[in-house]
Amino acid sequence: MYGMIHRAMRQMVHEELGEEAWLALEQKLEIGPTELLTGMVYDDALTLEIVSEAAARLNLSVDQTLEAFGQYWVRFAGQGSLSSIMKFTGQNLASFIANLDRLHLAVGSAMPGARLPAFATLESAPGHLVVEYRSDRVGLEPFVKGLLQGLMDRFHACGEIHVVHRGEKSILFDIRYQDKD
Amino acid sequence: MLLSFSEKQIGALLPAFLHIDKQLNISAMGPGILRHLPHVRIGMPCAEAFNIVNYDTAQFLQEGVNVQPVSLIARDIDVHLSGAAIFHEAGCLLAVRFAITEEMFADSSMDLSDFGHADPVILSTMLIVLQRAMLEESQANAIELAHARQRSTDLLERTSRVAGYMAHDFNNLLSVIRLNTDRLSRQFGKDEKIGKLVEIIQEMAARGSEITQSLMTLSLQRTDMRQPLSVDQVIHDNMGILDSVVGPNISLKLTLNANDRKCVVSYSDFLNALINLLINAREAMPMGGQIALSSSVGVGLIKGDGDTDADMAQSDSYIAIQIADTGVGMSDALLSRAFEPQFSSKPNGTGLGLASVRNFAVETGGDVWLESAEGKGTTAYLHLPILKTVAPLVAVSSAVAHAGASDALGKKRILLVEDEPYALEALVEMLEAEGYAVTPCASGEEALIALGQDAYDVLLTDVVMPGQNGTEVARDACIAQPSIKVILMSGYVPDSAALQPGWLFLHKPMESAKLLQLISA
Ligand code: HEM
């Protein structure tokens, strides 16, 4: 995956465990700043190694770490120079999810070689969404669940996310939520 | 072909569209208008809600035909729309979009849903924002990389410094072992068993010394030493290498007339200087030719530019090495820049060769320069001070210095400075056994006192010592007693900037024989 994702992972470990923990992880994996270059595409295997090494340090399973990272990513992107584009993508949960593909379309033109997901809203009612996630990658279900949770947090909503169907290349998420305020 | 779309479908393509009927009232609108201009309602006269830029709104809508560009401004909210007005029999479709700038991304109440899927402005604006974010991160990347490089350089430097200290200390220990085994050998060497043991210890010390040499090479310490060398001999011994440097198309003619006179130089530095000068000559003769390498003894000023530097005025005797080629020659412009560190007249040249020759020449107290005639060839002149005539830098008259150094019995006087007591003891014993009058000092400070009280032929001093170090003692000794011969001993080769021309240097652990040879040379 793109180095940008690795940098977000580093930021999460920094915030959770401190800089030393990240340096120890780098040492263990024999990586350094050259594996954190924003605009470089790295093998997914490296991304996963980073995730599992972080998992060991966070005392979480790899899936739990992926989920935590998904949730963190929304916060990460919501700060700094990506914040305006996040805001522009949508100003409530339903419209944000509806516009995710358009966001990734722009990402795809800015970052050639990115393998981006597709999201489709299959059902939409107040407080209820059924969202289809499609990807040629496997194993990212917990990551997506974390992302959706992160989006609920972003829009001050609380609720539950369940996987209602797992297809070959797609997963259906059922989201029931209500606004906190 | 007539295509018909529902309002919803048009709304998906153009979320801010408006339809105006023949009565000039708003008859349909996209979801974007609903969201952001809530006061606009179906049935409302268009002119009540919008102004058409540069036109009278009613007139524009009444008179327009086909397709025309259009810009609208909402009447009581700062919202701009632009696009095309499409006229048809039932009225006019305002196929417009909200005008948005990159700045509005952050604080506008609009989002992607207010723009059409294929809206190129939105796509490119998002692209710009994303690229800016990536650029910011890339700048952070660059800073991180620079820091990482600095850290690893620092670490390497620290490690190599520590390795250097360790090698130095270890060398000192080996030096004591070496000197004391020499002592043993002198006193009890006739006993076969002891002689054998001494041999074993010496061999082990020699191996230890090889290890420290490697450690020092690894830690980037210089391990070569400056010693008196016969220039002719070095050239003669290395003819094979020198011949291969000039290559098969060039003949190398030797005329060695320095008569085995010696200069104090590092063997490898001298050889490198010769090789660099030969490479330079070779490069000037791509089609082949002849190089004449000659040595002779010269008298007069050593410097090429005739600079009557007070320092050098006394160096009246030097070895002159000339390397003359029959190549293309150099223009004045080239000549004036030939010794600049990064300068090279060749496309692939590193430009470092001649600059390093100049460093070598200057460090040794000599000089190097080129003379050239375009089309005829270039001659490099390398002048190096001859050992015997190298004078200390500043001659200060001193009663002591003129008194003559040898003691009453005609023995040579040696001022010996060494802070390692066992080494000091062994050296004193060895030198006295060889018939020298030795004044031992355990520190630089003691040595300075001794220098004020007596005259010496030779200063033999360790370099790294607490307090006054060896090069400082040597400098003061040369001022106080200009004719004193300086021999420095160390595991380190001191920074050449701290050395004066003519000082001899002996690498620890040293062999007694080598030391005695230097003292008597
Ligand atoms: C400004 C915000 C965002 C940017 C710049 C961005 C960028 C990216 C990038 C660079 C990748 C990696 C593609 C690769 O290297 O192959 C990616 C993957 C992904 N993104 Fe986003 N993204 C953003 C927001 C989001 C959000 C809010 C979601 C929430 C659902 C999301 C969901 C995903 C998923 C699920 C993947 C994994 C790809 C896969 O399944 O194959 N992204 N994104």
Side-chain angles (χ1 to χ4, degrees):
Chain A
M1 278 200 189
Y2 259 89
M4 181 183 263
I5 310 292
H6 294 178
R7 295 178 76 78
M9 192 72 209
R10 175 178 69 171
Q11 189 67 24
M12 180 172 100
V13 173
H14 271 192
E15 284 176 25
E16 294 289 323
L17 303 172
E19 198 178 338
E20 289 302 316
W22 177 262
L23 291 177
L25 178 152
E26 280 192 349
Q27 215 163 29
K28 173 88 186 289
L29 297 181
E30 294 178 12
I31 61 170
T34 34
E35 278 70 29
L36 294 162
L37 299 175
T38 309
M40 277 281 285
V41 181
Y42 300 98
D43 196 314
D44 278 9
L46 175 63
T47 312
L48 265 177
E49 264 186 278
I50 294 177
V51 172
S52 41
E53 202 45 52
R57 283 154 215 278
L58 289 161
N59 231 346
L60 296 174
S61 69
V62 172
D63 279 1
Q64 284 169 328
T65 307
L66 275 173
E67 189 171 332
F69 179 53
Q71 208 170 342
Y72 180 79
W73 171 257
V74 178
R75 251 188 298 144
F76 175 85
Q79 296 158 1
S81 39
L82 288 173
S83 64
S84 63
I85 212 162
M86 283 288 279
K87 181 151 183 247
F88 193 68
T89 300
Q91 299 190 4
N92 61 60
L93 185 61
S95 84
F96 193 103
I97 293 175
N99 290 329
L100 259 174
D101 279 10
R102 294 175 69 184
L103 164 68
H104 277 129
L105 186 71
V107 169
S109 346
M111 305 168 105
R115 286 156 57 203
L116 296 159
F119 287 91
T121 308
L122 302 187
E123 279 176 46
S124 178
H128 182 218
L129 295 167
V130 177
V131 175
E132 182 192 45
Y133 154 73
R134 303 184 75 88
S135 165
D136 63 357
R137 292 189 168 100
V138 288
L140 291 188
E141 178 186 311
F143 176 53
V144 179
K145 193 168 178 216
L147 282 163
L148 295 172
Q149 182 60 54
L151 288 177
M152 284 216 284
D153 299 344
R154 179 177 169 85
F155 296 110
H156 310 287
C158 57
E160 291 192 357
I161 302 166
H162 293 286
V163 172
V164 287
H165 181 260
R166 291 186 182 91
E168 200 188 320
K169 287 202 162 184
S170 74
I171 302 172
L172 284 194
F173 291 89
D174 183 277
I175 308 171
R176 289 184 190 273
Y177 65 100
Q178 59 193 78
D179 292 335
K180 275 187 210 157
D181 22 59
Chain B
M1 184 177 61
L2 180 69
L3 300 174
S4 78
F5 292 106
S6 68
E7 271 182 46
K8 199 171 169 204
Q9 286 167 328
I10 299 176
L13 281 174
L14 298 160
F17 87 92
L18 291 153
H19 189 267
I20 316 297
D21 62 19
K22 282 286 180 196
Q23 287 70 47
L24 308 189
N25 294 329
I26 297 169
S27 56
M29 60 187 168
I33 300 288
L34 266 173
R35 274 196 294 272
H36 296 287
L37 300 170
H39 62 287
V40 177
R41 300 197 195 288
I42 302 287
M44 190 182 216
C46 179
E48 208 173 283
F50 299 99
N51 279 330
I52 293 183
V53 178
N54 292 336
Y55 290 94
D56 172 76
T57 305
Q59 197 184 357
F60 178 88
L61 293 170
Q62 269 165 349
E63 296 175 3
V65 285
N66 297 329
V67 180
Q68 274 178 241
V70 68
S71 290
L72 313 179
I73 299 177
R75 272 190 177 269
D76 41 13
I77 265 187
D78 185 23
V79 169
H80 292 233
L81 297 130
S82 63
I86 302 162
F87 295 93
H88 62 125
E89 67 271 19
C92 172
L93 173 69
L94 293 173
V96 290
R97 55 186 296 285
F98 293 117
I100 190 163
T101 59
E102 189 195 323
E103 294 77 49
M104 288 168 73
F105 261 46
D107 43 37
S108 162
S109 57
M110 291 179 193
D111 66 31
L112 267 174
S113 320
D114 298 311
F115 297 87
H117 277 261
D119 192 324
V121 179
I122 291 303
L123 185 64
S124 48
T125 313
M126 286 175 78
L127 205 63
I128 291 170
V129 174
L130 275 167
Q131 296 214 313
R132 184 159 307 145
M134 288 177 74
L135 189 68
E136 264 176 38
E137 273 201 4
S138 301
Q139 283 162 344
N141 290 166
I143 292 169
E144 281 167 24
L145 283 172
H147 282 319
R149 206 167 68 181
Q150 188 57 47
R151 272 198 304 275
S152 64
T153 316
D154 289 350
L155 182 67
L156 189 71
E157 219 173 79
R158 269 204 311 276
T159 320
S160 87
R161 216 174 319 137
V162 170
Y165 292 149
M166 284 164 64
H168 170 258
D169 286 354
F170 195 58
N171 256 341
N172 270 344
L173 300 183
L174 288 174
S175 206
V176 175
I177 294 173
R178 174 94 228 188
L179 290 168
N180 282 292
T181 44
D182 284 353
R183 239 167 124 188
L184 260 183
S185 161
R186 268 197 310 277
Q187 286 186 18
F188 307 105
K190 279 173 240 98
D191 181 326
E192 203 180 313
K193 215 168 164 188
I194 293 178
K196 184 79 197 148
L197 284 175
V198 164
E199 240 173 65
I200 294 173
I201 298 172
Q202 276 177 342
E203 196 190 318
M204 291 302 126
R207 278 204 224 161
S209 163
E210 277 165 26
I211 295 172
T212 55
Q213 294 285 331
S214 326
L215 201 57
M216 295 185 91
T217 311
L218 265 180
S219 66
L220 309 177
Q221 306 280 344
R222 289 181 54 173
T223 53
D224 53 348
M225 63 177 193
R226 281 161 66 161
Q227 53 185 326
L229 287 176
S230 154
V231 165
D232 287 358
Q233 191 66 45
V234 176
I235 297 176
H236 189 264
D237 290 350
N238 288 284
M239 267 321 289
I241 301 173
L242 301 180
D243 254 337
S244 68
V245 167
V246 299
N249 294 336
I250 294 171
S251 68
L252 180 60
K253 197 172 138 245
L254 279 194
T255 319
L256 301 180
N257 285 325
N259 303 330
D260 276 335
R261 302 293 290 274
K262 291 179 176 169
C263 303
V264 181
V265 286
S266 135
Y267 194 102
S268 58
D269 285 356
F270 175 56
L271 198 56
N272 274 335
L274 282 180
I275 289 174
N276 274 317
L277 291 174
L278 285 175
I279 290 176
N280 202 55
R282 180 193 72 191
E283 305 282 296
M285 297 184 291
M287 312 302 289
Q290 196 188 64
I291 297 178
L293 167 56
S294 62
S295 69
S296 57
V297 175
V299 178
L301 289 176
I302 199 164
K303 289 204 167 184
D305 54 11
D307 184 359
T308 46
D309 193 332
D311 296 356
M312 281 302 154
Q314 307 182 25
S315 304
D316 56 357
S317 173
Y318 55 84
I319 292 175
I321 295 164
Q322 289 182 23
I323 294 182
D325 65 54
T326 54
V328 290
M330 293 166 93
S331 65
D332 286 349
L334 273 183
L335 266 184
S336 67
R337 301 193 56 196
F339 290 99
E340 287 176 18
Q342 302 304 329
F343 183 74
S344 172
S345 63
K346 297 131 212 151
N348 301 320
T350 60
L352 290 174
L354 289 183
S356 79
V357 178
R358 165 150 290 174
N359 282 347
F360 159 76
V362 171
E363 277 175 11
T364 337
D367 198 10
V368 61
W369 69 97
L370 300 176
E371 286 174 11
S372 187
E374 269 185 276
K376 290 195 174 147
T378 304
T379 302
Y381 296 84
L382 174 62
H383 285 191
L384 302 171
I386 287 179
L387 171 62
K388 255 177 77 183
T389 63
V390 173
L393 289 188
V394 185
V396 175
S397 68
S398 131
V400 178
H402 290 297
S406 302
D407 77 350
L409 300 170
K411 290 179 181 175
K412 258 193 182 172
R413 284 172 177 267
I414 298 179
L415 180 60
L416 172 61
V417 197
E418 168 64 80
D419 66 326
E420 169 57 62
Y422 293 131
L424 185 66
E425 190 187 311
L427 280 168
V428 170
E429 192 186 293
M430 190 261 287
L431 293 171
E432 282 180 350
E434 290 296 326
Y436 294 106
V438 184
T439 305
C441 301
S443 70
E445 288 74 9
E446 269 184 42
L448 292 185
I449 296 170
L451 276 166
Q453 293 170 345
D454 236 323
Y456 296 94
D457 298 287
V458 177
L459 168 70
L460 177 59
T461 177
D462 189 15
V463 175
V464 183
M465 294 184 292
Q468 199 92 14
N469 72 33
T471 48
E472 289 163 351
V473 172
R475 210 183 40 227
D476 291 351
C478 287
I479 294 171
Q481 304 188 15
S483 61
I484 200 164
K485 175 194 247 177
V486 172
I487 304 175
L488 303 170
M489 335 171 258
S490 180
Y492 279 128
V493 176
D495 184 3
S496 38
L499 296 180
Q500 290 181 11
W503 289 0
L504 303 175
F505 180 78
L506 200 55
H507 207 278
K508 278 186 178 178
M510 61 224 175
E511 292 164 39
S512 310
K514 184 100 202 165
L515 172 61
L516 293 173
Q517 193 190 324
L518 278 190
I519 292 174
S520 63

